[in-house]
């Protein structure tokens, strides 16, 4: 146990970190590994691999992911910004590289092959994009003469264009919602809200009219006609699971859905462990979002406030989209459930997000001094 009187870097980290946040992220990783045991063996056997191929890789990815999360949580806000700028530039360059030399899967070029592994650069772009835009919005709030909002709009335009070029319409919507939420927090005038909202609606209509795969998914969602096998089967699995599930290993959905270990792992959890377990899982995500927003409300620094709110909004929206697809409440979209679905890039990128969150919500001496000064002034006691 680390003593409070110890002033080493590890002790300082332990006593200043938000341990509830840390416990929530580690719990999600543990649940993800457990559900990988439940969902992935049937998928591995179906495609001719060792039964525990995906389980072993999931466990292997956990080690560097935990190291990334803990390592980033030691950073100061200034260091977080620097890391994010480098990460954003690198991820944008690799996204461009993927468009020309990447692996093509189902008509999309989103991955880069490195040996026996594949990396999806857009996953690492998301947390870096949030941090950089939060910094630009904060600089505009501190120094009105700096065109931070304009630079944030340009950055968003570049990111959205690259995502659409892959194409990855789901990630485009996720990034747009997160960016729009941060822009709203930054005090954007109503003119911009109306204009950007109109552009968003126009973009969705344009995608529906010009991208056949987008039109197909939306049509299947509204009409129920066409190939809706995966979402229909996932919904039926959730219904079969009832409140307490059919029992570990007794599920059927994992044997017939190709993406049961990734996009539809929530349905596997519902069928085998029940709706009560799924409610517990949703509660963890809700806790992360609400605790993050609570930190953001109390934060005096604009950059930390925008960044923390944007990061938890990203996690919350991604989990909501995945669960919504499983419940057939949204059109089908290949989006992972954070830290639960199989995927090395997704897990490590979410751990980058978690590391940034832990770093920005630490109780630092300068933050405590600001809080003491604020409360003394508010109570009528002269600030020291």
């Amino acid at each position: 146990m680390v003593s409070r009187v110890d002033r080493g870097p590890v002790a300082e980290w332990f006593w200043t970190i938000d341990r509830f946040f840390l416990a929530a992220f580690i719990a999600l990783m543990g649940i993800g590994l457990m559900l990988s045991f439940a969902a992935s063996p049937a998928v591995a056997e179906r495609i001719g691999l060792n039964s525990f191929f995906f389980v072993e890789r999931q466990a292997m990815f956990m080690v560097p992911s935990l190291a990334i999360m803990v390592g980033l949580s030691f950073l100061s806000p200034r260091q977080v910004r620097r890391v994010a700028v480098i990460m954003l530039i690198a991820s944008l360059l690799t996204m461009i590289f993927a468009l020309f030399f990447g692996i093509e899967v189902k008509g999309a070029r989103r991955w880069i092959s490195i040996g026996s592994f594949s990396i999806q650069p857009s996953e690492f772009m998301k947390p870096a994009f949030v941090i950089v835009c939060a910094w630009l919005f904060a600089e505009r709030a501190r120094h009105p003469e700096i065109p931070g909002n304009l630079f944030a709009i340009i950055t968003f335009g570049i990111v959205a264009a690259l995502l659409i070029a892959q194409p990855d319409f789901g990630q485009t919507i996720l990034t747009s919602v997160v960016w729009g939420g941060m822009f709203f927090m930054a005090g954007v005038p109503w003119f911009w809200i109306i204009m950007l909202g109109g552009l968003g609606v126009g973009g969705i209509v344009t995608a529906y009219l010009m991208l056949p795969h987008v039109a197909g998914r939306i049509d299947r969602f509204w009409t129920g006609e066409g190939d809706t096998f995966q979402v229909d089967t996932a919904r039926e699995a959730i219904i079969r699971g009832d409140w307490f599930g059919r029992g570990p290993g007794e599920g059927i959905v994992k044997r017939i859905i190709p993406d049961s270990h990734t996009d539809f792992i929530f349905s596997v959890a519902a069928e085998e462990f029940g709706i009560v377990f799924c409610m517990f899982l949703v509660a963890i995500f809700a806790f992360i979002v609400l605790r993050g927003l609570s930190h953001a409300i109390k934060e005096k620094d604009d950059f930390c406030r925008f960044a923390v709110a944007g990061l938890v909004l990203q996690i919350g929206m991604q989990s909501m989209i995945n669960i919504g697809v499983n419940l057939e409440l949204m059109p089908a979209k290949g989006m992972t459930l954070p830290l639960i679905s199989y995927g090395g890039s997704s897990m490590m990128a979410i751990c980058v997000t978690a590391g940034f969150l832990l770093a920005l919500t630490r109780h630092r001496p300068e933050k405590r001094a600001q809080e003491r000064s604020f409360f003394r002034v508010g109570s009528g006691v002269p600030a020291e």
Side-chain angles (χ1 to χ4, degrees):
M1 186 66 179
V2 180
S3 172
R4 283 185 178 272
V5 298
D6 190 350
R7 287 294 178 264
V10 175
E12 180 70 17
W13 172 85
F14 181 79
W15 292 113
T16 57
I17 204 77
D18 188 326
R19 293 187 291 278
F20 291 103
F21 255 153
L22 182 63
F25 289 124
I26 292 176
L28 286 177
M29 296 180 75
I31 293 172
L33 184 61
M34 179 191 72
L35 291 178
S36 181
F37 272 102
S40 65
V43 178
E45 291 170 3
R46 190 165 57 243
I47 59 178
L49 298 174
N50 171 41
S51 297
F52 295 103
F53 175 81
F54 294 112
V55 177
E56 292 170 354
R57 288 172 74 96
Q58 182 89 341
M60 181 179 64
F61 288 136
M62 286 180 64
V63 177
S65 297
L66 277 170
I68 289 171
M69 180 174 66
V70 173
L72 290 176
S73 67
F74 277 86
L75 302 181
S76 67
R78 177 177 295 180
Q79 291 169 331
V80 166
R81 289 196 294 269
R82 291 174 178 173
V83 171
V85 169
I86 296 172
M87 185 180 297
L88 181 62
I89 294 172
S91 60
L92 291 178
L93 291 176
T94 48
M95 286 172 68
I96 296 172
F97 180 85
L99 291 177
F100 298 97
F101 307 103
I103 306 170
E104 183 173 342
V105 180
K106 298 179 182 179
R109 291 186 178 272
R110 306 170 189 168
W111 295 269
I112 294 175
S113 178
I114 301 178
S116 60
F117 298 95
S118 58
I119 296 177
Q120 187 174 355
S122 59
E123 291 288 348
F124 297 93
M125 174 276 299
K126 292 186 294 185
F129 172 73
V130 169
I131 296 296
V132 171
C133 286
W135 174 49
L136 293 172
F137 290 141
E139 286 301 301
R140 173 63 176 81
R142 290 176 54 196
H143 306 288
E145 69 276 8
I146 297 177
N149 289 357
L150 177 61
F151 290 148
I153 292 172
I154 293 172
T155 304
F156 168 71
I158 295 172
V159 167
L162 288 174
L163 288 173
I164 292 172
Q166 290 184 344
D168 195 340
F169 192 63
Q171 295 281 22
T172 306
I173 292 178
L174 173 62
T175 303
S176 300
V177 171
V178 173
W179 182 84
M182 295 169 60
F183 203 3
F184 182 80
M185 286 185 60
V188 57
W190 281 103
F191 167 78
W192 282 99
I193 294 175
I194 295 172
M195 188 179 74
L196 292 173
L199 289 174
V201 173
I204 294 174
V205 172
T206 302
Y208 178 81
L209 296 175
M210 299 185 64
L211 300 176
H213 72 283
V214 173
R217 289 182 177 182
I218 294 176
D219 288 341
R220 287 193 294 270
F221 174 73
W222 285 114
T223 65
E225 300 175 355
D227 183 12
T228 59
F229 171 73
Q230 289 208 100
V231 292
D232 289 343
T233 306
R235 179 175 55 87
E236 292 169 5
I238 294 172
I239 295 172
R240 281 197 302 269
D242 205 8
W243 288 103
F244 299 104
R246 300 168 63 91
E250 300 299 320
I252 299 173
V253 65
K254 63 189 180 185
R255 299 189 179 96
I256 55 180
I257 290 186
D259 299 325
S260 60
H261 62 315
T262 54
D263 301 346
F264 293 96
I265 198 167
F266 185 82
S267 296
V268 176
E271 186 180 23
E272 298 197 3
F273 299 99
I275 295 174
V276 172
F277 175 81
C278 289
M279 291 172 65
F280 171 71
L281 190 58
V282 171
I284 297 178
F285 284 112
F287 169 79
I288 290 173
V289 173
L290 294 176
R291 190 165 183 84
L293 293 178
S294 176
H295 275 290
I297 290 172
K298 298 173 184 176
E299 183 60 59
K300 303 299 181 294
D301 180 73
D302 286 334
F303 164 68
C304 290
R305 180 167 66 252
F306 298 154
V308 169
L311 292 171
V312 295
L313 181 59
Q314 175 190 303
I315 293 174
M317 284 298 302
Q318 183 169 332
S319 60
M320 188 176 73
I321 291 172
N322 177 277
I323 294 171
V325 170
N326 278 258
L327 295 173
E328 211 169 358
L329 297 175
M330 303 178 70
K333 176 67 198 81
M335 191 169 293
T336 58
L337 188 59
L339 298 178
I340 303 294
S341 298
Y342 169 80
S345 292
S346 175
M347 178 181 291
M348 286 191 283
I350 294 295
C351 282
V352 170
T353 304
F356 286 161
L357 264 175
L358 291 169
L360 295 173
T361 55
R362 285 178 62 186
H363 297 287
R364 292 183 171 80
E366 62 271 18
K367 183 185 294 187
R368 290 196 294 268
Q370 289 178 358
E371 291 174 352
R372 285 198 301 269
S373 176
F374 173 79
F375 287 119
R376 282 178 177 269
V377 172
S379 60
V381 179
E384 295 179 357

